[in-house]
Amino acid sequence: MLEKTYRPAEVEERLYAAWEASGAFAADPRSTRVPYTIMMPPPNVTGSLHMGHALTFTLQDTLIRFMRMRGKDALWQPGTDHAGIATQMVVERQLAEKDIFPDRGQQGAPGQTLIGRDDFVARVWDWKAESGSTITRQLRRLGASPDWARERFTLDEGLSDAVRKVFVRLYREGLIYRDQRLVNWDTKLQTAVSDLEVQQVEVKGHLWHFKYPVEGAENTFVTVATTRPETMLGDTAVAVHPDDERYRGLVGRHVVLPIVGRRIPIVADPYADPETGTGAVKITPAHDFNDFEVGRRHGLDAINILDSRGRLNDTVPESYRGLDRFAARDKVVAEIESLGLLAGIEDHVHAVPHGDRSGTVLEPWLTDQWYVDAATLAKPAIEAVETGRTRFVPKHWENTYYEWMRNIQPWCISRQLWWGHQIPAWYGPDGHVFVAESEEEAAAEAAKHYGRTTALARDADVLDTWFSSALWPFSTLGWPEKTEHLARYYPTDVLVTGFDIIFFWVARMMMMGIHFMGEVPFRDVYIHALVRDERGQKMSKSKGNIIDPLDIIGKYGADALRFTLCALAAQGRDIKLAEARVEGYRNFATKLWNASRFAEMNGCAWDPGFDPAANRLQVNRWIVTELALRAEDIARAVEDYKFNEGANLLYHFIWGTFCDWYLEFIKPVLAEGGAAEQAETRATCAWVLGQLLHLMHPFMPFITEELWEGLTAGQGGRLISAPWPEVQAAACDRDAAAEMDWVVRLISTIRTVRSEMNVPAAAKISLVLKDAGATTKARMAKHMAAIERLARIDSATELSGAVPKGSVSAVLDEATLILPLAGIIDVAAEKARLAKEIAKAEGEMGRIEKKLASPGFVEKAPEEVVEENRERLAEYAAQKQKLSEALVRLSQA
RNA sequence: GGGCGCUUAGCUCAGCGGGAGAGCACUACCUUCACACGGUAGGGGUCGUAGGUUCAAUCCCUACAGCGCCCACCA
């Protein structure tokens, strides 16, 4: 006997272990079934499950379970990401607490070397070993069913091998190169970050206007403005627009840089906007992206004035050396002022680049870094979407993709970190670079190059973490080996992810997949909404506003959370998760549980040989038909990634049709029907319930598996491996369905009219469909007289056949009159109700009549629309007639 | 500055060229033997504003207002 309510905690762990042990998650490359692949976006290996994960993995699991049931050889490839900078930061913080400061000793950063690189990396591996199973354990709690045996990690030997091969090949193809450019430098993390990791933050700052004296011209100044005064120490020019009349005479002359005393040219460059400020702009090639370009055009020096920690270095006047950039800013302003060269200060709101991980102000900084020629790789990736080989769902994300891909900049892939794939490049004593897959290869090349064995130093940097994830769709399948998995499961069917990593990840997988596999990595990219916090803000690790899905799972069960996320996953809108929503769907799970309990109590046992097409009773033929139709709708919804539609169809069918109507209809049959009727009804009830458990399984895997086990007494196999219910054409009886729809509508009408009756729903239904049962009668002694009269009138009505319309409408008419007369409800109240209903019907009629009379409607509207309106008008007219008659009779009585 | 999205019941949100929906909350009644995590009935919305297209607009178009997000080098 099932408990009164479902207790998820008691079954989830047991069922999950059983699934995993049964091998149900595993794909089978030897199978004859059609392969279906989803690549799991690898979560941070040392991370923990947040609501965004819960959403994306729920949708993926729902899809993969659905496809598995649809007969596909489904591979959901799991794994984790080493998440370079994020993980390294965590470990550094841990070490800092223990007063062990690592020193990466690069880019001139001073500091103590308490532990070296190898020691540090070993400690990160320790941390990975300690916390690395957290996320996968949490995924299991969610019910995720990937092929765990194939779990990969981006720093695995195989994947690292793929990374080296890709790097070397791209280098040899000229698509990876080393270059000295400005990068976004994080002075706190001591590394370059990519453009995508930069967050522009609106900051209230100032615009300082400085006067630069023109050389050889007494009391002549050029006034420039800046938001970062300290950068003036690195100025190597002032630019004005070539057409700017005000400065025409000054171009080619020089100004003397205050404080520094450097003589710098006034150049003409269209970058200077005559409309902005004074029209003259200071040029600091080493510390501003625009200025860098201007400097390049005019052959200006790029003077790097900062060290890696954002302090002024030895290129600036003595008194500034070693000062922090912000201290230097104040000092520069003060000194300019004291020199009488401060022309003004304005308040100014502007965007300042911040590191999205460190939160510090980033500095454009001149360094040597490795770059990928993204523009070249992007071309075929753009074309793949244009030609529809990869499709975005919803489609409008294609625009986002195009916009970025068409304006893509060189991708800076080197990071000054220790945790990650170390770049496979070695330098000779003269700085000559050897890129190779191994140290031996590099040594051999060097020997050839130098004509003798030469000591090499490996590039200390590691690759951007997204470099390895870009290879994920093929590296996890075994590339560069030609594995059977690679041949069978690539290209994958769909990538499910949030829009926030379209650039970081999706675009790069497209580029790498096409380049190395010659084919797109996925057919569909389903971009789902972001789960936001209550203020509508993006949840992120650095903001610390994460709502823990595990709390929700603990409180309501994994199924409730999963169903909620599916029900809210409408395309194109973000999810602001409300806990009440989860509670509502938890209640839904309980409803399903109790429907099963009802079946169990009534001896409805699963019969594997049951043939729904052989049913005779109308209710049974009806529910089977309804089920078949819904199963089709649900499958279509999931295939179209309309998870909310699928979830809502199930919700309404199970609660609104199966429980509210079917189970109520069969109560009298199970209580008092003939033996054959009862047997058929029990079998049908069990069968329909069983099918519903199938349809529900991708959304709520745990409770359905548990109920299935109970329904089939453990003889039905596991739901996770069961086939999706087929539409039983022979069992579909549209006439029965239509007839029952009519009955349902009729009873609803009676309910509405008779709302004051306050009799139980079951009894109301019983008295319409057949003679009320003995137990019901006993409980209904108070209302017996009226019910018996109704029952006599309705004696011809049989549940097993078509319900004679005349009979039931007679019940309606009688009920309208008898119950008030029998004193069950108040006559005056009933009159008022009838009047109100009549008015309502008249209102509807008026609206429809107006529409039918509107010019052109009958001529131009589709035939069926016109017909539908006429029918509705007739229905309302009939209803009004009936209600009016009842009102008259009630008044006369 | 460019681009995208949103504005529907008290709250959180679906939906959509021809009868305004769900969950929660609210009201009334119901110890009912599947389920009070329940049942029945009910209240509550001129679908942001103004125009336009159409026989018909919450839905399509335009403008406006408000909100949000993404991208961008404005000194």
Side-chain angles (χ1 to χ4, degrees):
Chain A
M1 177 69 180
L2 292 170
E3 294 289 324
K4 215 167 169 178
T5 54
Y6 169 60
R7 281 197 266 272
E10 289 169 18
V11 304
E12 287 178 355
E13 201 180 328
R14 170 170 55 79
L15 285 177
Y16 195 90
W19 287 332
E20 196 171 354
S22 74
F25 298 168
D28 178 8
R30 310 276 163 85
S31 103
T32 55
R33 288 171 293 153
V34 178
Y36 181 88
T37 318
I38 299 178
M39 283 289 153
M40 177 188 287
N44 182 341
V45 67
T46 61
S48 56
L49 197 75
H50 58 63
M51 204 49 91
H53 288 132
L55 172 66
T56 197
F57 295 133
T58 292
L59 298 181
Q60 289 171 51
D61 191 57
T62 301
L63 264 179
I64 207 81
R65 285 178 185 268
F66 171 76
M67 289 300 175
R68 217 149 31 211
M69 293 177 84
R70 297 285 270 182
K72 296 280 175 60
D73 170 29
L75 171 64
W76 188 14
Q77 170 65 50
T80 50
D81 187 74
H82 67 281
I85 203 165
T87 306
Q88 172 147 349
M89 275 174 71
V90 172
V91 176
E92 280 183 14
R93 211 175 301 126
Q94 290 172 349
L95 292 175
E97 280 164 16
K98 297 179 202 154
D99 288 332
I100 303 170
F101 292 92
D103 170 42
R104 298 191 292 284
Q106 289 167 39
Q107 304 288 357
Q112 64 275 58
T113 304
L114 290 185
I115 69 174
R117 180 175 189 141
D118 293 345
D119 199 359
F120 179 81
V121 170
R123 284 172 193 255
V124 185
W125 279 103
D126 288 346
W127 167 239
K128 188 238 173 197
E130 191 183 317
S131 69
S133 59
T134 303
I135 187 83
T136 53
R137 202 172 53 244
Q138 291 169 333
L139 276 171
R140 286 175 164 90
R141 284 205 63 192
L142 189 65
S145 63
D147 192 348
W148 287 118
R150 298 192 50 77
E151 185 179 346
R152 295 291 184 272
F153 176 50
T154 44
L155 281 175
D156 277 352
E157 191 39 55
L159 270 60
S160 300
D161 185 43
V163 165
R164 282 189 297 271
K165 282 211 157 56
V166 163
F167 187 95
V168 171
R169 266 186 56 182
L170 289 175
Y171 176 77
R172 292 188 178 147
E173 291 165 355
L175 294 170
I176 280 183
Y177 55 91
R178 199 162 165 76
D179 196 9
Q180 188 177 59
R181 298 167 54 101
L182 284 184
V183 294
N184 302 293
W185 184 261
D186 191 314
T187 55
K188 190 170 163 199
L189 299 179
Q190 297 279 295
T191 181
V193 299
S194 80
D195 297 347
L196 290 172
E197 294 163 286
V198 178
Q199 268 193 334
Q200 300 291 345
V201 180
E202 290 264 296
V203 170
K204 274 190 210 160
H206 301 281
L207 195 55
W208 287 273
H209 296 262
F210 293 167
K211 296 194 288 187
Y212 288 179
V214 177
E215 184 192 43
E218 204 74 359
N219 283 326
T220 308
F221 301 93
V222 174
T223 303
V224 295
T226 181
T227 54
R228 296 186 295 153
E230 72 281 7
T231 60
M232 65 83 68
L233 300 172
D235 282 0
T236 54
V238 169
V240 296
H241 197 275
D243 301 335
D244 195 331
E245 297 293 344
R246 294 169 293 181
Y247 298 104
R248 183 144 287 175
L250 292 175
V251 173
R253 298 186 63 175
H254 290 73
V255 296
V256 177
L257 193 59
I259 302 176
V260 182
R262 184 164 49 240
R263 184 174 168 269
I264 59 176
I266 299 167
V267 300
D269 193 284
Y271 164 66
D273 177 5
E275 307 293 317
T276 304
T278 60
V281 56
K282 62 192 266 316
I283 300 297
T284 321
H287 296 285
D288 183 285
F289 288 96
N290 286 311
D291 293 4
F292 184 75
E293 296 300 324
V294 175
R296 206 171 245 192
R297 284 196 285 272
H298 298 274
L300 302 172
D301 286 341
I303 301 173
N304 183 1
I305 62 165
L306 295 175
D307 70 15
S308 72
R309 296 187 193 274
R311 292 174 302 215
L312 298 189
N313 63 19
D314 293 348
T315 59
V316 300
E318 182 104 34
S319 61
Y320 285 86
R321 291 179 194 168
L323 278 185
D324 177 76
R325 51 193 162 147
F326 298 111
R329 175 170 303 175
D330 295 340
K331 192 170 159 66
V332 165
V333 173
E335 190 165 349
I336 291 285
E337 186 167 22
S338 71
L339 291 171
L341 297 173
L342 186 62
I345 306 176
E346 287 173 50
D347 287 337
H348 185 63
V349 178
H350 61 129
V352 176
H354 284 67
D356 67 353
R357 297 209 170 269
S358 66
T360 56
V361 176
L362 299 176
E363 289 295 335
W365 207 48
L366 197 57
T367 54
D368 287 309
Q369 303 286 346
W370 289 95
Y371 292 89
V372 167
D373 177 0
T376 301
L377 290 173
K379 277 185 194 121
I382 292 165
E383 197 202 320
V385 175
E386 283 170 344
T387 56
R389 277 183 292 142
T390 291
R391 186 173 70 112
F392 277 78
V393 180
K395 197 171 171 52
H396 70 257
W397 288 112
E398 288 178 6
N399 295 331
T400 306
Y401 173 84
Y402 288 141
E403 191 201 319
W404 190 68
M405 288 293 250
R406 286 172 181 154
N407 298 302
I408 199 162
Q409 297 299 307
W411 173 17
C412 175
I413 51 171
S414 42
R415 294 289 180 278
Q416 287 64 52
L417 304 173
W418 284 347
W419 176 244
H421 298 96
Q422 195 170 351
I423 290 174
W426 286 261
Y427 301 98
D430 59 349
H432 191 277
V433 64
F434 302 93
V435 170
E437 284 176 34
S438 67
E439 187 153 13
E440 296 74 48
E441 249 181 69
E445 278 187 35
K448 207 156 73 183
H449 177 79
Y450 293 115
R452 61 187 162 79
T453 307
T454 307
L456 299 177
R458 183 165 187 178
D459 194 311
D461 292 352
V462 299
L463 289 165
D464 180 9
T465 200
W466 296 101
F467 190 87
S468 54
S469 13
L471 319 181
W472 190 252
F474 52 95
S475 64
T476 54
L477 294 174
W479 190 92
E481 305 300 319
K482 289 189 168 64
T483 63
E484 63 182 355
H485 276 84
L486 188 62
R488 182 169 170 81
Y489 300 107
Y490 191 99
T492 69
D493 289 86
V494 60
L495 177 78
V496 177
T497 190
F499 68 81
D500 51 331
I501 54 174
I502 289 180
F503 305 142
F504 278 113
W505 196 43
V506 179
R508 277 128 182 210
M509 282 192 287
M510 288 291 286
M511 296 192 278
M512 292 298 195
I514 292 169
H515 191 74
F516 286 93
M517 295 295 295
E519 180 53 285
V520 293
F522 18 74
R523 303 287 179 213
D524 288 352
V525 181
Y526 173 63
I527 302 290
H528 59 244
L530 232 50
V531 185
R532 294 179 180 275
D533 71 3
E534 53 279 309
R535 289 173 307 174
Q537 285 214 324
K538 185 171 155 180
M539 289 187 194
S540 75
K541 293 170 202 129
S542 48
K543 279 187 203 152
N545 58 352
I546 291 164
I547 301 168
D548 190 354
L550 296 163
D551 292 347
I552 301 288
I553 291 175
K555 203 165 164 191
Y556 302 103
D559 288 330
L561 175 62
R562 290 172 58 115
F563 201 86
T564 306
L565 292 171
C566 285
L568 295 180
Q571 291 182 3
R573 197 203 270 219
D574 289 342
I575 296 172
K576 273 193 265 176
L577 194 64
E579 192 170 320
R581 205 77 198 219
V582 184
E583 194 181 342
Y585 290 119
R586 186 274 318 268
N587 295 351
F588 172 54
T590 305
K591 187 76 179 179
L592 179 64
W593 181 265
N594 277 295
S596 297
R597 205 159 155 262
F598 171 85
E600 184 184 44
M601 290 170 72
N602 284 285
C604 304
W606 176 260
D607 173 6
F610 173 72
D611 175 16
N615 276 343
R616 307 198 63 81
L617 296 191
Q618 177 161 287
V619 265
N620 292 333
R621 297 178 69 77
W622 161 71
I623 196 68
V624 166
T625 307
E626 286 293 318
L627 177 85
L629 296 175
R630 291 297 84 71
E632 275 185 331
D633 294 342
I634 292 159
R636 200 174 312 121
V638 177
E639 276 164 358
D640 290 346
Y641 310 111
K642 292 178 177 170
F643 298 95
N644 62 325
E645 220 174 280
N648 283 316
L649 282 166
L650 278 162
Y651 184 94
H652 288 109
F653 185 70
I654 288 176
W655 201 315
T657 302
F658 183 69
C659 292
D660 286 353
W661 292 103
Y662 179 73
L663 293 186
E664 296 300 336
F665 281 141
I666 67 172
K667 276 174 183 172
V669 179
L670 293 176
E672 297 163 37
E677 287 177 347
Q678 289 194 349
E680 175 187 305
T681 302
R682 284 199 190 95
T684 306
C685 178
W687 182 84
V688 171
L689 181 60
Q691 302 298 301
L692 286 173
L693 294 176
H694 282 72
L695 302 181
M696 277 292 286
H697 183 259
F699 298 90
M700 287 194 172
F702 292 108
I703 192 175
T704 51
E705 190 72 85
E706 177 73 1
L707 290 173
W708 175 248
E709 200 177 306
L711 183 69
T712 59
Q715 302 303 302
R718 291 202 186 279
L719 213 44
I720 190 175
S721 311
W724 185 260
E726 285 298 318
V727 178
Q728 317 249 342
C732 288
D733 181 345
R734 305 258 174 175
D735 291 341
E739 196 62 42
M740 287 301 292
D741 279 348
W742 180 79
V743 172
V744 166
R745 271 212 310 279
L746 177 64
I747 294 171
S748 298
T749 309
I750 295 174
R751 280 178 179 172
T752 307
V753 172
R754 315 241 43 85
S755 67
E756 283 85 353
M757 265 173 79
N758 293 329
V759 293
K764 279 200 276 185
I765 291 163
S766 295
L767 70 84
V768 173
L769 289 174
K770 69 178 290 177
D771 194 358
T775 50
T776 307
K777 279 179 186 167
R779 291 198 308 274
M780 300 296 301
K782 185 177 159 198
H783 303 147
M784 254 352 271
I787 288 170
E788 275 172 7
R789 271 190 73 182
L790 290 170
R792 271 201 302 283
I793 294 164
D794 194 34
S795 59
T797 307
E798 282 297 327
L799 190 59
S800 51
V803 178
K805 288 187 181 183
S807 158
V808 180
S809 48
V811 174
L812 170 64
D813 295 343
E814 278 300 306
T816 318
L817 190 60
I818 291 167
L819 292 175
L821 295 182
I824 291 171
I825 59 171
D826 181 58
V827 175
E830 178 64 7
K831 280 183 179 174
R833 167 158 300 279
L834 287 171
K836 191 177 161 192
E837 288 295 324
I838 290 166
K840 204 166 152 188
E842 279 172 345
E844 288 297 326
M845 286 168 70
R847 229 174 297 167
I848 297 168
E849 276 165 354
K850 193 175 158 197
K851 186 195 281 188
L852 283 165
S854 77
F857 176 73
V858 175
E859 290 76 31
K860 295 197 180 175
E863 186 64 31
E864 62 268 22
V865 172
V866 176
E867 199 46 43
E868 192 184 304
N869 278 279
R870 283 185 176 138
E871 275 170 20
R872 279 180 44 227
L873 184 61
E875 271 171 31
Y876 278 116
Q879 191 182 326
K880 184 194 160 191
Q881 175 71 19
K882 235 175 243 179
L883 292 163
S884 304
E885 282 170 15
L887 186 58
V888 170
R889 288 166 70 190
L890 200 55
S891 304
Q892 289 168 345

